[in-house]
Amino acid sequence: SIEPQDGAVSDLVPGVTPVSKPVPDMLEPAPGEPGHNLPKPGPAGQLARNIYAAAVPAVPATNARVGILLDGYGLSEEMSLNAARTLPAMVSFAVSTYAPARPALSEVARKRGHEVFLSLPMQPSTAPMDDEGPRALGYDHSETVDRDNLRWALSRFDGYVGVTNAFSGLDGDAYAQSPDFQMVSRELNQRGLLYLNATPTAQRLGPAPGGAAAMTLDTAADAAGTPGQVHHLVPLAKPTDPAIAL
């Protein structure tokens, strides 16, 4: 169960600023998807990339800032709850469009101050050996099919700050680095969303603002090796541009 067994709500933590709840005026019904919504700018120009951004901790101007995006949030309820409730709020989560408990787990993350991204399934360069599922973009689809799959994905849950190509250990690089991705980036920008490119050294295409991962952490390493990997991330940060690890 998402809620504690005694029924008490324990996910609001003193000293941690929750991320904003989904704003009804920044949602529109998804065509053909009853009960699902698409993000849109608010009536006063509010944008999801600002409204659902996590609080930025104060650090000295001379200090490097780094960020970590954890992929696969929502695929295991137990592991996801443990991550949301034990990791620092500065760690962001990427939620799969196929995750079974997306809204409830995203709500726990929001209350704990974690920024949430949507993992968009796209064709990887390793296809057909690797497949990102029945709603993935690419695979020689027409633009109409890709747009339909994009809007299906964007309507899976509410209140996310942006989209990433990080998807269960893959990065959809074949599609994300193709000219076809321009359509995706335009729609993300029109809907007020960020795009985080999870492919280190790859160019981020299109008008949607955002960032790019500087490195991918070795998920096969044990917990003792993680600080050493993060240590390598720090020199990649610039005074006005944090370094992001996936």
Side-chain angles (χ1 to χ4, degrees), residues 22-242:
V23 179
D25 285 347
M26 295 175 63
L27 299 170
E28 63 184 20
E33 294 285 342
H36 292 269
N37 304 300
L38 288 164
K40 68 172 185 176
Q46 307 100 310
L47 301 176
R49 56 180 173 252
N50 298 325
I51 297 298
Y52 306 129
V56 178
V59 296
T62 55
N63 284 26
R65 290 196 298 129
V66 301
I68 295 177
L69 178 68
L70 181 66
D71 179 23
Y73 185 79
L75 295 177
S76 163
E77 180 178 314
E78 181 181 358
M79 294 177 68
S80 298
L81 286 173
N82 184 56
R85 289 169 173 164
T86 60
L87 291 175
M90 293 77 76
V91 176
S92 300
F93 298 140
V95 181
S96 169
T97 52
Y98 306 130
R102 297 174 303 272
L105 288 170
S106 297
E107 175 69 1
V108 174
R110 181 194 71 76
K111 289 181 177 179
R112 291 275 174 158
H114 298 281
E115 204 165 71
V116 172
F117 285 78
L118 172 76
S119 285
L120 183 64
M122 295 184 278
Q123 179 183 349
S125 57
T126 52
M129 183 174 63
D130 292 311
D131 186 348
E132 294 200 10
R135 288 288 194 158
L137 283 68
Y139 299 96
D140 297 322
H141 294 157
S142 67
E143 182 173 311
T144 298
V145 171
D146 279 335
R147 182 177 286 107
D148 287 345
N149 284 345
L150 171 63
R151 291 177 179 173
W152 176 88
L154 295 178
S155 66
R156 293 308 89 193
F157 65 99
D158 305 327
Y160 52 92
V161 71
V163 166
T164 179
N165 58 322
F167 190 88
S168 302
L170 300 173
D171 62 4
D173 53 333
Y175 186 85
Q177 300 304 315
S178 73
D180 294 341
F181 185 76
Q182 294 281 355
M183 177 275 293
V184 174
S185 187
R186 287 194 297 270
E187 178 130 356
L188 297 181
N189 191 42
Q190 290 165 3
R191 294 189 178 281
L193 298 165
L194 293 173
Y195 175 65
L196 178 61
N197 176 20
T199 311
T201 73
Q203 182 180 5
R204 181 164 52 87
L205 303 177
M215 65 181 291
T216 301
L217 299 179
D218 180 7
T219 55
D222 59 22
T226 302
Q229 295 185 66
V230 175
H231 178 75
H232 291 297
L233 180 66
V234 173
L236 302 177
K238 299 175 182 178
T240 58
D241 189 14

